[in-house]
Amino acid sequence: MSTVGIIGAGLIGRSWAVVFSRGGWDVRLTDTDPKALAEAPRLLRQSLGDCARHDLVDDPRACLRRISTVPTLEEAVAEVDFVQECGPETVSEKARIFKALDVAAPAAAILASSSSAIVSSRYAEKLAGRARCLVAHPVNPPHLVPLVELCPAPWTSKETVAAARCIYEQLGQVPITVLQEAEGFILNRLQGAMLAEAFRLVGEGYCSAEDLDKTVREGLGLRWSFMGPLETIELNAPGGIADYCARYGPFYKRVASEPPSPNVFSKRATDKIAHAWGPVLEPEVQAAKMRWRDDRLAALAAHKKRAKAFRK
Ligand SMILES: NC(=O)c1ccc[n+]([C@@H]2O[C@H](COP(=O)([O-])OP(=O)(O)OC[C@H]3O[C@@H](n4cnc5c(N)ncnc54)[C@H](O)[C@@H]3O)[C@@H](O)[C@H]2O)c1
């Protein structure tokens, strides 16, 4: 039986707890906020129950029994095979947590950070066990969205990356490897490029915030739920990607010659977008909407499990 220590019982830590327990692992979950830790079992029961309704987990009670909450990082990682760090997204916190992990976790345990954008070379270089550190960036929530981006630092061992890949695959996740460290890895760089253009289009009055979202929700996003942008353009011209680029490349080239300015993310510009979108949701409404999203994602995950990939 393998054991994972999960550091941070927030959105991502709890979701990883579902992934690992569903895969048969014992889970030790910790958080510096006793309230977050106390709330975790109820929220985990809810997520596992929701998964079971969509046939995404066989025995939610057995999964729950495999998860224990513990008060300190040291107890969480004392005898584990793997650590999934899910603490705050700042370099100083990642540095503090990884320093403690490198001392407290068994020498053979892999130390993976869930960071959304921070490469591990910014905090792991001086650690004795730096060869076992890497980023394993999930998509929220990882128990319903399988992609995980593995991003090694230059000194991360090949064995660490290979073992991490194997573990995530066995858990039913879909790992990709980031071949050179890049802030934001692959997914958030793509998301950032799209958000910059979206903020420009709404901010400069080309369309409403609502219509911008419809464009993805009822357009681009439908294909993207089962094929990537390269496979998409392959099928949008009879001669494949080269033909597509010959037809539409000049237009994309003109657009690319005037990229959105960094000012689209200024406070003034983002306040304008937030205002156009509407009032901040009440906490209960926000929580209900997150559950609705997870329910839709679970239905999509169940559908994708049944659907066959195209094979030539
Ligand atoms: N939310 C997302 O969409 C998303 C997606 C992918 C990756 N991530 C990354 O996952 C990580 C966690 O994000 P989140 O959304 O779960 O945040 P969150 O705020 O929901 O949870 C973070 C938790 O860490 C706890 N914490 C703070 N310091 C700690 C410490 N020293 N030791 C143990 N616990 C500590 C906090 O009390 C909190 O409960 C971040 O690095 C984030 O960038 C987030």
Side-chain angles (χ1 to χ4, degrees), residues 7 10-12 31-33 86-89 94 114 116 137-138 140:
I7 311 304
L11 282 175
I12 296 299
D31 199 293
T32 42
D33 177 1
C86 311
E89 181 74 357
K94 300 292 185 210
S114 300
S116 297
H137 169 238
N140 183 35

Side-chain angles (χ1 to χ4, degrees), residues 114-134:
S114 300
S115 172
S116 297
I118 304 171
V119 294
S120 63
S121 58
R122 294 192 66 193
Y123 53 82
E125 184 173 10
K126 300 268 154 51
L127 300 180
R130 66 181 192 169
R132 59 173 169 155
C133 298
L134 82 169

Side-chain angles (χ1 to χ4, degrees), residues 180-199:
Q180 293 176 46
E181 279 194 324
E183 185 179 16
F185 317 117
I186 307 299
L187 185 141
N188 276 327
R189 293 179 79 94
L190 289 174
Q191 178 158 249
M194 182 140 187
L195 279 176
E197 188 62 47
F199 281 14

Side-chain angles (χ1 to χ4, degrees), residues 92-116:
S92 59
E93 276 302 306
K94 300 292 185 210
R96 225 160 54 81
I97 294 173
F98 268 77
K99 199 170 166 197
L101 289 176
D102 199 32
V103 173
I110 290 173
L111 310 180
S113 170
S114 300
S115 172
S116 297

Side-chain angles (χ1 to χ4, degrees), residues 8-10 14 29-43 69-71:
R14 290 196 309 271
L29 179 62
T30 192
D31 199 293
T32 42
D33 177 1
K35 235 176 94 193
L37 209 52
E39 269 284 276
R42 181 183 66 80
L43 294 167
T69 54
V70 294

